Amino acid sequence: MTRVAIYARYSSDAQSEQSIEDQVRVCRARAEREGWTVVEVYADYALSGASASRPQFQQLIRDARAGQFEVILAEALDRLSRDQEHIAGFHKQMSFASVQVVTLSEGAISELHVGLKGTMSALFLKDLAQKTHRGLEGRVRAGGSGGGLSYGYRIRRGLRPDGTPITGEMEIAVEEAAIVRRIFTAFAAGQSPRSIAKVLNAEGVPGPRGGKWTASLLLGGAGRETGLLRNRLYIGERVWNRQRFIKDPSTGKRVARPNPREAWITTSVPDLAIIDAETWDLAQARLSANRRAVLDLSSSAAEPTANRGERLGTVRRPRWPLSGLVRCGVCNGPLTVMGPNGRLGCANYVERGTCTNRRTILRGVLLPRVLVGLKERLLAPELVEEFVRTYVAEVNAANRERGARQAGLEQQRAKLTRQIRNLLELIKDGHGGAAMAAEVRDLERRQEELAQQIAAAGEPEPTPVLHPNLPALYRRRVEALEEALADAVTAMAATEALRALIDAILVFPGERRGEVTVSLRGDLAAFLHAAGEPEAGSGDAKKAANLTVGGLGREVMASLDAGTGFEPVTFRL
């Protein structure tokens, strides 16, 4: 008996789900004619064949490698994939798993089909993209929408005089248009985007897609003319084709790439204008003035602004060791750099006005406080003792659960062994048929699955053992790490080692004016890992810093790993 899996797919929301049922129906009919047994049906709804990141398609691959069927049946090869690289890789994986791929259109799939059909499918996608782009361009040049919906507008609903539904057209949303006018008027009058966003959030005005207002949402970027204050649709000019999308081959996701300005298409749509020309010009003049001021500050007299900007875009700035780890203790929002002196403040307070934490802290002050806290405050004996006690209890409970589960699986496997033995005896005596032989194979398959589950359960986890001089070892590691952070040669490796120890650094407003309280939150398992690494033989601080994180010291905890489910440790700095 040949076990077969059916795969079906359709790619567009505009298509009907009936397409899946039709594909499965004709595949079942083919399997019945061949005498195959359909064991599973996999179907992806409204997902393009240009991407391999389809849930059911990936499950199909996993089950095929697990040996759950011998044949994959689909209506056509392009149902499985339209990408040359993906279909070639899929064919290789199925060949390795000894699974035959058969389609109703092409028959049994070979390397020849993969090459020819893969090329045809790729050309189809390219041709489809070109035709879609051409159709959208024609719609835009005729005054229609090319896709996307800006704040201040909504999709127009209704019927045309001939009775056909209106599609691809927008109209002004009166309530949102009033907010747009208010933003432009305030900005043209000198109010900053940050203060505008704060006022709107304080009044409870929902932003685009129901989110919060931010300064960056209003400003956007000058190069692609993004951001509410740069949207020319508000003065009745639709700009289309500013960017294109290409697929990243490593992730399968689309990535935006800017088009040259000569490729942009601008059409007049005066009926969609929200802002008058005078207010628009005042706002754009202020945006240009602000941009020139920023560029002048970032350029030197000896170097042209454009060249310096291009060079800065290609230089990788050194990473601050605590970047992305510092958060507000009140709202848990990220802390952002405020001003040229490197002060950190709550982004939700600064950008949105949705937090009350107005305290700031210098970056140069925060890092030393964190390092001192790591050295002096973390590995308190009572803290380590409580952690180990809890961990041992968790290990013992997990071992008991693992043992009970393994015992149950062993009982099931023994039962299946007896059933298989009895059926084989009946077949030997001439009492069995094809159905009984098929049942034996099914029982054997279930027995193999149980064996895999038993093996996956693993061995009992050993009880952790602490090094007798754990705090002193750990303190020396942090001191070596501190020295390595100050060395340009080892700073990057030391930064990664430090970040591996910390989950978050929370900054709270203190009781007195200007005072802040800092709490460090981390996984104690990671700290104990760091302390358990063997001493660096050369005694060199840089080498010791590189050993801070990266392996499990047997002297500390033989089976301890980060993320074991314990609450993170938090202490004040």
Side-chain angles (χ1 to χ4, degrees):
M1 178 183 65
T2 301
R3 295 171 298 166
V4 62
I6 294 174
Y7 180 79
R9 176 189 64 83
Y10 72 88
S11 59
S12 171
D13 291 330
Q15 292 177 293
S16 170
E17 293 189 11
Q18 185 66 35
S19 173
I20 294 287
E21 297 179 9
D22 293 341
Q23 293 176 50
V24 173
R25 174 174 49 78
V26 295
C27 287
R28 284 189 181 276
R30 171 65 181 274
E32 185 177 351
R33 290 196 301 270
E34 298 288 346
W36 298 337
T37 300
V38 177
V39 296
E40 191 62 74
V41 175
Y42 303 84
D44 283 308
Y45 295 79
L47 293 174
S48 171
S51 171
S53 301
R54 290 166 269 147
Q56 287 290 288
F57 181 67
Q58 291 299 324
Q59 187 63 48
L60 172 74
I61 295 175
R62 289 192 291 268
D63 291 347
R65 294 180 65 91
Q68 296 190 17
F69 40 81
E70 292 85 31
V71 175
I72 294 175
L73 183 60
E75 184 183 41
L77 191 60
D78 59 12
R79 296 301 87 195
L80 293 165
S81 180
R82 287 190 180 274
D83 185 277
Q84 287 176 289
E85 181 182 0
H86 293 163
I87 196 62
F90 175 74
H91 184 262
K92 285 183 179 180
Q93 291 194 60
M94 295 305 100
S95 298
F96 177 78
S98 300
V99 175
Q100 186 181 22
V101 181
V102 179
T103 68
L104 304 184
S105 299
E106 296 90 7
I109 299 302
S110 64
E111 287 80 1
L112 183 63
H113 293 95
V114 171
L116 292 177
K117 292 292 291 187
T119 302
M120 292 174 62
S121 294
L123 291 174
F124 168 79
L125 287 177
K126 185 176 181 180
D127 183 60
L128 179 63
Q130 291 174 344
K131 289 180 179 178
T132 302
H133 188 274
R134 184 187 65 201
L136 288 174
E137 181 178 349
R139 177 187 292 180
V140 170
R141 291 188 182 279
S145 171
L149 188 64
S150 299
Y151 182 83
Y153 302 94
R154 60 177 172 235
I155 300 297
R156 185 181 176 189
R157 308 292 184 185
L159 299 176
R160 293 189 176 90
D162 60 0
T164 58
I166 297 174
T167 59
E169 295 185 17
M170 298 186 304
E171 61 184 6
I172 295 174
V174 178
E175 299 83 1
E176 293 183 357
I179 301 299
V180 172
R181 295 189 188 96
R182 178 180 170 185
I183 291 171
F184 269 86
T185 301
F187 182 75
Q191 193 172 349
S192 71
R194 184 173 294 172
S195 62
I196 294 173
K198 280 187 176 182
V199 171
L200 293 175
N201 290 327
E203 295 178 1
V205 178
R209 300 179 180 86
K212 295 293 185 181
W213 293 95
T214 64
S216 59
L217 188 151
L218 301 181
L219 287 173
R224 299 188 192 182
E225 292 188 358
T226 58
L228 188 145
L229 289 170
R230 304 180 194 273
N231 190 348
R232 283 195 264 164
L233 187 59
Y234 294 138
I235 56 168
E237 294 181 4
R238 175 179 281 123
V239 182
W240 183 76
N241 202 38
R242 289 180 296 187
Q243 61 186 16
R244 65 191 185 279
F245 291 91
I246 59 175
K247 188 174 71 171
D248 186 340
S250 60
T251 63
K253 296 182 179 180
R254 296 198 314 161
V255 179
R257 291 286 186 268
N259 288 329
R261 283 186 173 264
E262 54 267 23
W264 294 10
I265 297 175
T266 303
T267 55
S268 177
V269 281
D271 56 316
L272 295 180
I274 294 177
I275 304 298
D276 61 86
E278 182 180 358
T279 304
W280 171 266
D281 291 340
L282 288 173
Q284 300 313 301
R286 188 173 175 212
L287 286 171
S288 298
N290 291 346
R291 179 171 171 77
R292 283 195 301 270
V294 171
L295 292 175
D296 289 342
L297 285 174
S298 64
S299 62
S300 64
E303 184 177 14
T305 300
N307 293 343
R308 180 173 176 83
E310 182 178 0
R311 183 174 64 81
L312 288 174
T314 61
V315 173
R316 181 180 177 184
R317 293 180 175 86
R319 188 183 195 185
W320 186 52
L322 304 182
S323 177
L325 297 175
V326 189
R327 308 193 70 82
C328 174
V330 176
C331 68
N332 199 40
L335 263 65
T336 184
V337 178
M338 301 170 53
N341 58 357
R343 299 196 73 88
L344 296 171
C346 176
N348 286 331
Y349 172 79
V350 175
E351 300 287 346
R352 302 171 179 85
T354 57
C355 180
T356 59
N357 185 6
R358 59 189 301 172
R359 302 292 170 79
T360 62
I361 185 172
L362 283 168
R363 293 203 309 179
V365 172
L366 181 60
L367 180 57
R369 288 177 67 173
V370 169
L371 291 172
V372 170
L374 289 176
K375 285 189 295 185
E376 307 297 336
R377 303 286 299 279
L378 178 67
L379 293 187
E382 64 275 10
L383 181 64
V384 175
E385 182 181 352
E386 174 64 18
F387 177 81
V388 174
R389 185 192 64 77
T390 306
Y391 183 79
V392 170
E394 291 285 342
V395 167
N396 291 336
N399 285 340
R400 288 194 298 270
E401 183 180 351
R402 183 185 292 108
R405 186 168 183 271
Q406 281 187 322
L409 293 173
E410 291 286 1
Q411 291 178 359
Q412 295 180 43
R413 184 164 66 170
K415 181 179 179 181
L416 289 175
T417 301
R418 292 192 297 271
Q419 292 176 344
I420 292 172
R421 187 185 306 116
N422 294 336
L423 289 174
L424 290 176
E425 291 296 331
L426 290 174
I427 293 174
K428 288 180 182 178
D429 294 339
H431 300 298
M436 189 173 293
E439 186 176 355
V440 169
R441 284 193 292 270
D442 184 59
L443 291 174
E444 290 175 338
R445 180 180 60 81
R446 290 166 57 192
Q447 193 178 44
E448 292 175 359
E449 292 175 355
L450 284 174
Q452 294 175 358
Q453 294 178 24
I454 293 171
E459 296 296 326
E461 192 170 352
T463 304
V465 179
L466 283 179
H467 190 284
N469 197 22
L470 181 65
L473 285 174
Y474 172 78
R475 191 170 294 111
R476 287 202 294 271
R477 293 296 183 273
V478 177
E479 290 172 353
L481 181 63
E482 187 174 8
E483 294 180 21
L485 285 170
D487 191 326
V489 177
T490 57
M492 184 172 295
T495 294
E496 296 305 318
L498 176 65
R499 295 175 64 82
L501 298 175
I502 301 170
D503 286 341
I505 299 167
L506 304 178
V507 178
F508 298 85
E511 296 180 359
R512 294 188 295 272
R513 179 180 177 86
E515 183 183 60
V516 295
T517 302
V518 181
S519 294
L520 188 147
R521 186 175 65 198
D523 192 330
L524 187 53
F527 293 110
L528 295 176
H529 283 183
E533 289 297 327
E535 291 289 344
S538 65
D540 182 42
K542 303 181 189 66
K543 184 175 180 181
N546 289 333
L547 291 174
T548 301
V549 175
L552 178 60
R554 294 182 178 273
E555 296 178 281
V556 186
M557 292 197 166
S559 58
L560 189 60
D561 57 80
T564 52
F566 297 106
E567 288 296 324
V569 60
T570 302
F571 62 92
R572 299 286 183 180
L573 303 181

